[in-house]
Amino acid sequence: MKHRMKKLLVPVMGLALLAPSVMPGTAAAADNVTVRSVEFIGMPAPATPDEMARLYTTASLQVAYSDGSVRSFPLTYKTLFKSTDSINGTVAGVAVDVNGKPIMDTSVPGNPVPFVSDDPDSNSLMAIPGQKPTSLGGNPLSLVTHFEYVTNNNAGKSAYGVVPASMSLTTIDQNKKTGELKAADLKKIDFSAVDGLWIPCNGSLTPWNTHLGSEEYEADARAYEADPTQTYVGPFAKAYYQDDNAVGNPYAYGYLPEVTVNADGTTTVAKHYSMGRFSHELGKVAPDQKTVFFGDDGGYTMLFMYVADKAQDLSAGTLYAAKFTQTADDANGGAGSLQWINLGHATDAEIADYVKQGLKFSDMFETADKDTDGFTKIKTYPSGKMEWLKVKPGMEKAAAFLESRRYAAIQGATSEFNKMEGVAANAKDKKIYVAMSYLEKSTEADAKGADPVDDIHLKKIRAGVVYELALQGGQKDAEGNTINSEYAATAMTGLVAGKDLAQPDWKGNTADDNLIGNPDNLSYSEDLRTLFIGEDSGMHANNYVWAYQIDTKKLSRILTTPAGAEATGLQDVDNLNGFRYIMSNIQHPGDEMILPDALKAQVEPLINKYWDNKRSGSVGYISGVPTMEQMVALKDTDNTLSQLRDEAEKKGAKVTWNEADRSVTITKGTNTMTVKIGEAIAKVNGQDVKLANAVKIENEKAVFPTETLMNFLNK
């Protein structure tokens, strides 16, 4: 029993949130106390097989006030739904055809079942003016979610790319008192007007309250023209149109779809062909509401920028590609300056017309197979091979927007970026953050001298780097023409880097477990001055979500995902009807685990237990981070509970358990506090202190009133 009780008190460094009794928007605390600083207190990496199979947080936010007091706010993870859940009659992750009907998986004879994705990705949580209240009595909200792909069919074979992807619109009920979110209804979004949806990865919420999605890993149209079976285009079209004679068109996919949610719950979808065709991880709109930066996921990719003609209208604009000139190389990812090459101006309608005409790769380019006068030697995604190309006369605009990367490489843009993923914007400092998941291969020096160019020659960091891009107005493009944006990026500098390990550790990690590993999703909180970083790592046994404080440079782990899962759907929502949320999903739990065999044998059955035999992803959010107003309003309340041992040991205190009377003694310096499970009295340095709540065991951990504990530990 002694060992069992010790286990109950083992730290997992987290806090359990109770519903606040003081509402947001109430008067500030007495004496006009203000928030001086905030700091995320991170959680340890999972250490047991059960922890490695779960999705959870035990982190907290510590708030320091102008009167010298400190308050800790615990974080919890709340699941809205799994991808396999049925919400009001619709399975969240079900794949649907052009008519909105489920696409059936017939891989097991005699047992047809709908394809259901285990891969939820991007979230856009928003309030729509005029939206009807839900039946649950709370505030109505809308949530757009991507379902990126289906990992496997019912027979256990890969279904990636061949099953059309989908997005859902979930009607969310927001509890007016606690802020808790519940899914009230879910519908699949109709993409029939734009030829369906191709592998939607990440996305973002625009400043004008629409969802900006993505279509990643565009098919190689040159390979398709030579042999259609070398791409997913044919199977995709057959499944989407439920027609074995459908052939598809690679140029119909690889764009940013914008989803507008209407007050009546309907949606409209527009694909922005004028923003270029490449491997769109996502697009992030800058504060001017017309400049857009992109992730371009893959090897030998590019950094693009789009400047719309009008704010809040992405249907027409100018597309640019970056020329990178390296200025530094260091362990943090190096640095370089950026010059922008103007690829041309277009409208969505113009480029959509090329698609409808059935334009082919050979209509735009002449090709050679060796160095030839008049042809440019390039190497870029999607082929990743050496190519010699020449644009046919009069086809410059078509090539620029349908084959953006190939055309940009011909114009001299840098095509050596690798796995450029999430993008986030910092309005106050005029910064853009871009995640490069792996710094290797194309970003290293070309030792053989075989590539057409070698603009990037950085140190290898397989664990990846998050870069900071400085933004300025008054910039000129490579031809000396003014760029019509106050947010053109001029420099790119490594900000947060992972660290590769020489040998795997006991969990199989090949990247330092206390630093980022293969950053992917990014989201930024303006008032917390914090960059949130989600991982898609084959180098961490468990992927994490991190909080990086821009000013203090502190990195804190705030969420852990099941082994083999990816952290997706990251969206910071600073204030929505008086509550703050950090949206975060997981996809494909248990997939591609890197655990040593003995440890994997313990973790895998638990993942199967918790995640429907690896068939379920999860959509949810980190709760408990207060708004700035709540931080002040809740300052003098003590209705949260902290995990006792962890918070104490985190502050350097010693914790001992007495089995005889079920008491805990905390010693820090010359101060001592003793508490008993089930009692609402603490003895501090021999004096009785009344507690707001009794000490208790919750989720197999002793929890204690937060404010009293923090006051003792901060003595």
Side-chain angles (χ1 to χ4, degrees):
M1 182 63 184
K2 179 178 180 180
H3 295 295
R4 172 176 167 74
M5 185 51 63
K6 280 189 175 180
K7 183 177 180 182
L8 291 177
L9 296 174
V10 167
V12 184
M13 196 156 150
L15 307 167
L17 182 65
L18 303 181
S21 59
V22 180
M23 292 303 300
T26 57
D31 303 321
N32 295 316
V33 172
T34 59
V35 173
R36 189 180 73 229
S37 65
V38 297
E39 176 186 7
F40 279 94
I41 307 300
M43 59 186 283
T48 68
D50 190 70
E51 290 172 350
M52 292 178 194
R54 290 185 181 272
L55 171 60
Y56 68 94
T57 178
T58 57
S60 62
L61 183 76
Q62 184 170 283
V63 180
Y65 296 93
S66 57
D67 64 356
S69 63
V70 177
R71 177 70 188 272
S72 182
F73 293 90
L75 277 58
T76 57
Y77 183 82
K78 294 184 179 292
T79 298
L80 279 169
F81 52 86
K82 292 181 178 179
S83 60
T84 49
D85 287 348
S86 178
I87 300 171
N88 205 18
T90 301
V91 176
V94 68
V96 294
D97 64 19
V98 66
N99 296 310
K101 303 293 185 182
I103 299 174
M104 303 305 291
D105 175 3
T106 58
S107 60
V108 176
N111 185 32
V113 294
F115 278 109
V116 177
S117 173
D118 59 335
D119 296 285
D121 205 300
S122 174
N123 290 315
S124 282
L125 181 68
M126 63 190 105
I128 305 299
Q131 187 175 357
K132 294 180 180 179
T134 75
S135 61
L136 300 178
N139 297 313
L141 303 176
S142 290
L143 175 68
V144 174
T145 302
H146 290 186
F147 291 90
E148 188 176 1
Y149 55 90
V150 177
T151 299
N152 295 309
N153 63 21
N154 205 28
K157 303 294 184 181
S158 174
Y160 181 88
V162 300
V163 180
S166 70
M167 293 187 197
S168 65
L169 173 63
T170 308
T171 300
I172 299 290
D173 180 87
Q174 180 192 44
N175 188 290
K176 294 180 180 180
K177 292 184 177 180
T178 67
E180 183 174 2
L181 305 179
K182 290 185 178 180
D185 190 26
L186 183 144
K187 298 176 181 177
K188 304 305 288 192
I189 295 174
D190 181 8
F191 279 81
S192 61
V194 291
D195 303 304
L197 178 64
W198 179 277
I199 311 178
C201 195
N202 207 343
S204 65
L205 184 67
T206 68
W208 53 93
N209 213 38
T210 61
H211 173 75
L212 199 57
S214 61
E215 290 186 311
E216 186 183 50
Y217 298 141
E218 85 281 17
D220 186 346
R222 181 179 183 179
Y224 176 84
E225 187 174 348
D227 180 0
T229 65
Q230 298 304 304
T231 72
Y232 297 130
V233 175
F236 177 98
K238 288 176 173 59
Y240 186 64
Y241 292 103
Q242 292 292 288
D243 181 357
D244 287 340
N245 295 316
V247 293
N249 179 354
Y251 289 129
Y253 310 104
Y255 307 99
L256 290 186
E258 183 176 7
V259 179
T260 300
V261 180
N262 305 309
D264 62 0
T266 60
T267 55
T268 55
V269 178
K271 279 190 183 178
H272 291 307
Y273 303 95
S274 66
M275 300 181 83
R277 178 178 176 267
F278 47 92
S279 183
H280 281 290
E281 172 79 13
L282 85 163
K284 181 65 179 179
V285 182
D288 65 349
Q289 304 193 32
K290 68 175 187 177
T291 305
V292 185
F293 292 91
F294 308 90
D296 185 8
D297 195 356
Y300 287 91
T301 55
M302 292 186 170
L303 179 63
F304 290 96
M305 177 179 71
Y306 178 83
V307 181
D309 294 349
K310 301 177 183 177
Q312 300 189 13
D313 182 355
L314 303 178
S315 65
T318 303
L319 184 64
Y320 297 86
K323 178 73 171 178
F324 179 87
T325 301
Q326 189 168 318
T327 57
D329 184 16
D330 55 40
N332 210 45
S337 61
L338 298 170
Q339 185 179 51
W340 293 100
I341 297 171
N342 186 332
L343 303 182
H345 177 278
T347 67
D348 285 349
E350 286 178 301
I351 308 307
D353 191 53
Y354 289 133
V355 177
K356 293 174 184 176
Q357 290 175 26
L359 212 64
K360 301 186 296 295
F361 174 87
S362 61
D363 294 326
M364 293 176 281
F365 296 96
E366 293 182 49
T367 64
D369 57 7
K370 61 182 179 180
D371 291 341
T372 305
D373 287 344
F375 288 78
T376 303
K377 181 182 178 181
I378 69 166
K379 185 178 182 180
T380 189
Y381 189 89
S383 77
K385 302 173 183 177
M386 221 70 75
E387 296 181 304
W388 289 263
L389 302 178
K390 179 167 62 174
V391 180
K392 292 183 176 181
M395 300 307 293
E396 290 81 6
K397 179 173 287 192
F401 292 90
L402 295 180
E403 290 284 356
S404 301
R405 224 181 284 98
R406 282 174 164 130
Y407 182 80
I410 293 173
Q411 305 308 311
T414 299
S415 59
E416 301 160 72
F417 294 101
N418 185 57
K419 294 289 291 178
M420 284 202 299
E421 308 267 4
V423 183
N426 173 343
K428 180 180 179 182
D429 298 338
K430 291 191 77 168
K431 305 288 187 184
I432 286 287
Y433 304 108
V434 177
M436 204 173 321
S437 194
Y438 291 80
L439 214 61
E440 62 175 356
K441 299 177 182 176
S442 60
T443 60
E444 298 178 81
D446 177 19
K448 297 180 180 179
D451 286 350
V453 293
D454 191 23
D455 293 340
I456 306 177
H457 36 89
L458 296 167
K459 290 183 175 69
K460 182 177 182 177
I461 307 176
R462 293 197 68 246
V465 176
V466 176
Y467 283 88
E468 179 182 84
L469 278 61
L471 309 177
Q472 293 182 18
Q475 300 303 299
K476 296 184 182 299
D477 65 23
E479 295 182 351
N481 298 312
T482 299
I483 298 174
N484 187 25
S485 171
E486 292 299 309
Y487 289 84
T490 59
M492 183 172 182
T493 305
L495 181 69
V496 190
K499 181 180 179 182
D500 301 346
L501 299 179
Q503 298 292 332
D505 66 12
W506 69 276
K507 288 194 289 186
N509 292 311
T510 55
D512 190 322
D513 210 24
N514 292 312
L515 297 172
I516 63 169
N518 308 130
D520 188 318
N521 282 204
L522 299 179
S523 191
Y524 182 73
S525 169
E526 291 284 346
D527 59 8
L528 295 179
R529 302 279 295 166
T530 296
L531 178 66
F532 298 104
I533 305 169
E535 295 180 343
D536 176 12
S537 180
M539 301 179 71
H540 278 168
N542 292 84
N543 281 317
Y544 308 120
V545 174
W546 302 88
Y548 178 78
Q549 220 287 335
I550 294 297
D551 301 312
T552 66
K553 314 297 185 188
K554 181 180 178 182
L555 183 69
S556 305
R557 183 190 293 106
I558 63 169
L559 184 72
T560 180
T561 73
E566 176 184 346
T568 62
L570 188 60
Q571 181 201 9
D572 168 73
V573 184
D574 279 340
N575 193 323
L576 196 52
N577 296 325
F579 296 95
R580 189 194 303 270
Y581 307 95
I582 304 170
M583 305 301 298
S584 189
N585 304 339
I586 63 158
Q587 57 179 221
H588 56 70
D591 189 34
E592 299 179 359
M593 285 190 284
I594 64 170
L595 302 172
D597 289 344
L599 184 55
K600 181 180 178 180
Q602 299 178 66
V603 174
E604 191 162 29
L606 294 168
I607 287 181
N608 288 333
K609 174 184 175 182
Y610 299 143
W611 302 104
D612 304 324
N613 292 314
K614 303 178 187 174
R615 291 189 174 275
S616 292
S618 176
V619 176
Y621 61 100
I622 298 172
S623 171
V625 184
T627 64
M628 301 305 288
E629 291 79 6
Q630 284 176 318
M631 291 178 196
V632 175
L634 296 172
K635 173 185 178 296
D636 294 320
T637 65
D638 196 13
N639 48 22
T640 61
L641 301 174
S642 296
Q643 290 175 12
L644 189 61
R645 177 181 289 272
D646 181 73
E647 291 300 312
E649 291 183 343
K650 184 169 56 183
K651 293 287 188 177
K654 180 181 178 181
V655 180
T656 57
W657 166 255
N658 186 319
E659 175 68 23
D661 62 358
R662 293 172 58 80
S663 68
V664 182
T665 299
I666 305 171
T667 304
K668 186 179 181 188
T670 59
N671 298 308
T672 300
M673 177 168 69
T674 300
V675 297
K676 292 184 179 181
I677 304 299
E679 294 187 0
I681 296 290
K683 193 170 287 293
V684 180
N685 296 331
Q687 301 294 317
D688 287 343
V689 174
K690 186 176 180 181
L691 304 178
N693 293 283
V695 184
K696 61 181 180 178
I697 300 295
E698 189 173 88
N699 297 325
E700 297 190 342
K701 299 171 181 70
V703 292
F704 185 92
T706 300
E707 186 175 358
T708 303
L709 180 60
M710 291 299 107
N711 287 339
F712 173 79
L713 294 173
N714 290 323
K715 284 181 179 293

